[in-house]
Amino acid sequence: MKLRSLLLLSCVPAALQADELEFYRDVYPFLKGNCISCHNKTTTKADLNMETPELMIKGGEGGPSLIPGKSAESLIVQASLHANDMEMPPPNNKSGAVNLTPEQIQTLKLWIDQGAKSTKPQERTVVLQAFAASVDPIYCLAISKDGRHAACGRSNRIFVYDLATRQLVAQVGDPAEKNGAAHRALVQSLSFSPDGTRLASGSFREVKLWKLNLAKPLANSAKSSSAPASPDLIKKIAAAGKVAVLSNAMSADGKQVVTGCNDGSVRVWDAASLKPVIELRGSVATTKKMAELDWTIAAQTLEQTFQKSEITRMEAQDKALDVLLGKANDAITTMKKVLPEKQKAVPPTTEAKVAAQKAVDELTAKFASAKDAAVEKELKTAQDKLITAKMTEVSALAAVSAAESNAKDAEADVTRITASKAANAKAVSAANVAVTAAKTAQDKAAADLAALKQSLTKTAAKSIAVSFSADALRVASMFDDGTLRVWAAATGTPIEESSATTAATTTITSSPDGTFVATKAVTQTVGTLPRWTLERKIDQKGVFADRVNAVRFSPDGKTLATGGGELSRGGDIIFLDVATGKATQTWKEKHSDTVLCLDFSPDGKKLASGAADKIVRVTEIATGKQLNLLEGHTHHVTSVAFRSDGRVLATAGAEGAVVTWDMIIGERKRKIEGWSKEVTSLQFIGATNQIITSAGDNRVRIVNDEGNEIRNIPDLPDYMQAAVSTPNGTTLVAGGEDSLLRIWDSTGKALASFGAK
């Protein structure tokens, strides 16, 4: 042992022997990977935390792990030397920890002998390296509330797509970053504000807010108009479609024709087959109104389903209460029947006890005056009879008391059950009223929607001019009421419009023959160029400990909640004021591991958070009070989402399951399985109970909160990281490791896909 110590000492540099060692500079680096990985705040094996000298001195189950000035007596040194049957780190451990080298052990001993002094932790400097060209997975997606735009993060870049025209409309970039990047590190999280004018993105130790600016096209920009189709082609289209064509234009590639028809419609035709491609009707306002009515119909359907389920639950409860009520009434009847008999049995027992007591008293007096053996024997017999008489009386009284108590308890049960039934009756009545109100609202919305759709087919305005955009992704029409309207050619969605607000310009020209021609013209411009510019960068020192894994706007758009924290040490939630970027609330270590997902309740009063600690927490925002702690996952909680009515919360787990929670009672509603790998994201679709999910098993899957599968899009080429849906469920969007953003319709039919290039 002495020889070993001498050899170890000889390995220590002379400068190290002379200078006073610092914990964080000289000791912490080799303890971190080989000791602290199992003895830290989160994983405290043997109740020992080795992250600071103070905690090591405090020790664990075996006492202090170090004694300042006495390295030979310190358990940490003995364990490192594998002395006294201690071997740390243990062989084949899961943390990948290895034995300390002789030099490291000697440094540890010298530091302890110098007093094991603590020093100020050194700030970790992170140097981010440039990404390889092949590193561009989609880790996060966001969709605007109106379903118009979808944003995805690829590597450190952000792309925004127009789902109406199905095209890339912007690559969001920070001028301070290279190659059009939005962040230096990976984009971990994205969220649109409720009004769609802001986009928040989270990355390593920073959050950025991007502002949408709708720029008008330059006045001197190149202009073009679609050439008209040939008269012969228009004649064939009119005959095939049985319509009268008032205006027409040909796409630049000659494959499609757009016509303005006498029924007020604008139609796109395939030039080769003469088949209709899409019919364009309606305005931006009518489309918005139809979306609102669709939401109302779905929300009121959900409300009816909930209220009917409550009625069913209470009716079942009433049946059980009726059984209990019957038993209680039977008990009352029985007790009332037997009680008089039991009461009648008491007086004889009392009389017998009194007589027995009198006999004992007389014999006691007699025996006291003359100690006679016969009298003594007679007294003992009398005393035995007295004991029996007393016990008989006690039993009779107890029988009466029990009968009275049973009757009283049964009467209390009747009162309680009757009150419960009355409360249920009141609740059922209220639920029936709610069902009726929801049905009325649903029927009205459905009727309004049908009327609105019908009105689109009877428009009085006629199309007097039509044109394709240069890329044929948009179609414009000028109507005789002065409205200029633009639709997305792929989806038929009205996207922009303008009405004449300026006076017409009139010019008169003359001809050599003496005739005059008056021309009256109105110039209108419609169309904007979306530009996302950096509004604010939030990266102040100490605000974010590590990656910002979740960003979420509050329903009113005034607050941005962020989730992150230091991996394996704590999960932090920070609320930022959107207008100023300043933190309004900070919940440090809300979870014991990094926060991965967040969602506000629809009323904005609660926040659900999921983390790598396998826990879901629901917290009241105003007070910071925890309302629910939900345990049901066996691995990281990767995503959380409230249903539109706030009554159900859905959570996704890396163990390959989705759990739905009844937020009225705070208990698990259903565990939904069927995935073979991690469920990476989930979102409720609009105001329905349907949930779109993505998973590592290369699938996008839609289930409802009862666990029934609605749709399954299988056999995708790679691991899917995120999936979202438009509020009406007509468009599904997902992305993953292969960097492709995929778009499907509600049936799962592929509509488009976009790569990073």
Side-chain angles (χ1 to χ4, degrees):
M1 179 60 74
K2 289 182 179 179
L3 178 60
R4 177 181 174 86
S5 299
L6 289 172
L7 288 172
L8 289 174
L9 185 60
S10 67
C11 296
V12 181
L16 193 60
Q17 296 180 44
D19 296 339
E20 186 170 286
L21 300 180
E22 293 185 2
F23 175 70
Y24 286 103
R25 182 192 67 194
D26 302 309
V27 179
Y28 183 82
F30 60 77
L31 291 184
K32 182 179 180 181
N34 301 310
C35 303
I36 295 176
S37 56
C38 291
H39 299 282
N40 56 66
K41 179 181 177 181
T42 304
T43 307
T44 315
K45 292 188 177 180
D47 202 26
L48 174 62
N49 188 336
M50 297 177 62
E51 292 178 306
T52 68
E54 292 82 3
L55 290 170
M56 286 190 280
I57 292 171
K58 179 182 177 182
E61 294 175 357
S65 64
L66 69 81
I67 302 173
K70 299 180 180 180
S71 63
E73 299 178 25
S74 297
L75 292 178
I76 184 175
V77 174
Q78 296 174 10
S80 300
L81 292 171
H82 299 178
N84 301 327
D85 295 326
M86 290 187 290
E87 186 177 359
M88 290 293 164
N92 302 318
N93 59 82
K94 295 181 180 180
S95 299
V98 298
N99 294 333
L100 300 187
T101 66
E103 292 83 358
Q104 290 169 341
I105 294 174
Q106 188 57 31
T107 299
L108 177 62
K109 292 175 65 178
L110 184 56
W111 170 70
I112 295 173
D113 288 336
Q114 289 178 351
K117 295 178 182 177
S118 182
T119 55
K120 186 177 180 180
Q122 295 179 330
E123 184 176 352
R124 180 165 61 108
T125 301
V126 178
V127 179
L128 297 173
Q129 303 296 323
F131 289 102
S134 60
V135 180
D136 53 7
I138 295 175
Y139 283 152
C140 52
L141 280 177
I143 195 164
S144 58
K145 188 176 180 180
D146 62 2
R148 175 72 185 276
H149 293 100
C152 71
R154 288 191 182 95
S155 184
N156 58 356
R157 296 173 294 166
I158 298 173
F159 299 83
V160 180
Y161 297 88
D162 187 331
L163 296 180
T165 60
R166 295 179 191 156
Q167 67 175 147
L168 173 69
V169 292
Q171 181 176 339
V172 181
D174 184 346
E177 304 295 344
K178 297 179 181 179
N179 302 319
H183 293 273
R184 285 174 296 165
L186 289 172
V187 180
Q188 300 286 346
S189 49
L190 289 169
S191 179
F192 278 103
S193 62
D195 62 4
T197 62
R198 283 187 172 92
L199 178 66
S201 58
S203 185
F204 181 76
R205 291 183 178 174
E206 67 180 16
V207 166
K208 292 184 180 181
L209 287 173
W210 311 88
K211 182 72 173 176
L212 175 62
N213 299 295
L214 298 176
K216 292 290 184 181
L218 298 175
N220 59 354
S221 59
K223 297 177 176 62
S224 63
S225 60
S226 301
S230 68
D232 183 58
L233 179 57
I234 294 301
K235 185 177 180 180
K236 291 179 180 179
I237 287 174
K242 298 180 181 180
V243 292
V245 177
L246 304 179
S247 56
N248 71 87
M250 198 88 177
S251 63
D253 60 8
K255 293 182 178 180
Q256 292 184 327
V257 177
V258 58
T259 62
C261 304
N262 66 339
D263 62 356
S265 68
V266 174
R267 307 186 188 201
V268 178
W269 310 81
D270 181 81
S273 67
L274 304 182
K275 292 182 178 180
V277 176
I278 194 166
E279 184 173 332
L280 308 174
R281 290 183 182 270
S283 63
V284 173
T286 56
T287 300
K288 181 180 179 181
K289 183 62 178 178
M290 284 192 287
E292 292 172 352
L293 292 171
D294 277 333
W295 181 280
T296 299
I297 292 169
Q300 297 307 323
T301 300
L302 191 65
E303 179 68 13
Q304 291 176 72
T305 301
F306 169 76
Q307 296 295 350
K308 288 177 180 178
S309 69
E310 285 294 283
I311 292 171
T312 300
R313 180 183 64 81
M314 286 183 282
E315 287 176 344
Q317 190 180 79
D318 275 347
K319 289 182 179 179
L321 289 174
D322 285 338
V323 173
L324 295 176
L325 183 61
K327 291 181 178 180
N329 283 322
D330 288 345
I332 292 172
T333 301
T334 301
M335 290 303 104
K336 286 183 176 180
K337 182 177 180 180
V338 301
L339 184 59
E341 297 176 2
K342 294 184 181 297
Q343 289 172 332
K344 186 178 179 181
V346 172
T349 62
T350 302
E351 293 172 359
K353 182 194 73 172
V354 171
Q357 183 66 56
K358 182 179 179 182
V360 168
D361 292 343
E362 290 176 349
L363 288 170
T364 300
K366 185 177 180 180
F367 181 72
S369 60
K371 304 293 184 181
D372 184 85
V375 173
E376 182 180 14
K377 183 178 180 181
E378 190 176 353
L379 175 60
K380 188 176 184 309
T381 301
Q383 289 173 335
D384 290 341
K385 289 181 178 180
L386 176 60
I387 292 172
T388 301
K390 286 182 177 180
M391 291 178 63
T392 302
E393 182 191 38
V394 168
S395 296
L397 290 170
V400 171
S401 178
E404 291 174 340
S405 179
N406 288 340
K408 186 177 180 180
D409 289 345
E411 288 169 352
D413 286 342
V414 168
T415 301
R416 177 179 55 80
I417 294 169
T418 302
S420 295
K421 285 176 63 65
N424 279 357
K426 186 176 180 180
V428 167
S429 177
N432 279 317
V433 170
V435 169
T436 301
K439 184 67 167 62
T440 300
Q442 180 192 36
D443 290 344
K444 183 179 184 305
D448 290 347
L449 182 60
L452 186 57
K453 289 180 178 179
Q454 183 65 25
S455 70
L456 298 181
T457 65
K458 297 179 179 180
T459 178
K462 308 297 183 185
S463 173
I464 57 177
V466 291
S467 179
F468 281 102
S469 60
D471 56 10
L473 295 177
R474 294 171 174 80
V475 172
S477 173
M478 186 70 185
F479 290 87
D480 58 8
D481 63 356
T483 301
L484 176 60
R485 187 165 292 135
V486 181
W487 292 268
T491 60
T493 304
I495 53 178
E496 290 173 310
E497 61 186 46
S498 171
S499 297
T501 56
T502 57
T505 301
T506 304
T507 59
I508 300 176
T509 58
S510 62
S511 300
D513 61 1
T515 59
F516 293 88
V517 177
T519 303
K520 189 175 183 180
V522 175
T523 300
Q524 287 182 243
T525 301
V526 65
T528 54
L529 303 175
R531 295 285 184 269
W532 290 90
T533 57
L534 180 62
E535 181 182 28
R536 184 169 289 105
K537 178 180 178 180
I538 305 164
D539 64 344
Q540 292 84 350
K541 183 178 178 180
V543 175
F544 304 114
D546 207 283
R547 289 166 291 185
V548 180
N549 299 308
V551 289
R552 187 73 67 184
F553 281 95
S554 60
D556 63 6
K558 295 180 179 179
T559 301
L560 181 72
T562 69
E566 192 172 353
L567 188 65
S568 298
R569 289 191 50 77
D572 304 334
I573 297 173
I574 301 170
F575 295 87
L576 302 172
D577 179 73
V578 172
T580 65
K582 294 181 179 179
T584 57
Q585 286 193 72
T586 299
W587 296 345
K588 284 290 185 183
E589 300 183 2
K590 189 68 175 177
H591 288 260
S592 61
D593 207 336
T594 185
V595 173
L596 300 176
C597 48
L598 300 170
D599 196 28
F600 281 91
S601 61
D603 61 8
K605 295 181 179 180
K606 294 177 282 188
L607 185 77
S609 56
D613 61 4
K614 312 172 190 176
I615 300 295
V616 177
R617 299 178 190 271
V618 179
T619 307
E620 186 177 54
I621 296 172
T623 63
K625 177 184 176 183
Q626 180 175 289
L627 302 176
N628 305 96
L629 189 151
L630 307 174
E631 297 179 287
H633 291 285
T634 58
H635 213 305
H636 295 7
V637 179
T638 57
S639 191
V640 294
F642 277 102
R643 201 170 71 180
S644 63
D645 60 2
R647 294 180 177 124
V648 174
L649 178 72
T651 61
E655 74 276 9
V658 167
V659 179
T660 57
W661 307 87
D662 184 331
M663 297 312 297
I664 296 175
I665 59 177
E667 294 181 359
R668 189 171 78 176
K669 175 182 172 75
R670 192 83 59 189
K671 183 176 182 180
I672 307 170
E673 298 177 309
W675 294 270
S676 60
K677 290 185 180 179
E678 301 95 321
V679 181
T680 52
S681 75
L682 58 75
Q683 173 214 320
F684 273 101
I685 298 177
T688 72
N689 69 341
Q690 295 184 10
I691 306 165
I692 183 171
T693 68
S694 61
D697 59 4
N698 301 19
R699 286 193 296 164
V700 170
R701 187 180 178 209
I702 298 176
V703 297
N704 64 24
D705 57 23
E706 294 292 340
N708 302 312
E709 183 171 282
I710 308 300
R711 183 85 57 236
N712 182 27
I713 305 176
D715 304 324
L716 296 172
D718 213 331
Y719 191 108
M720 301 306 292
Q721 292 281 8
V724 293
S725 168
T726 54
N728 59 8
T730 58
T731 304
L732 314 176
V733 185
E737 291 294 329
D738 67 356
S739 190
L740 281 181
L741 187 72
R742 292 178 167 83
I743 301 175
W744 302 270
D745 67 11
S746 59
T747 67
K749 177 184 176 182
L751 300 176
S753 63
F754 300 96
K757 308 302 181 184

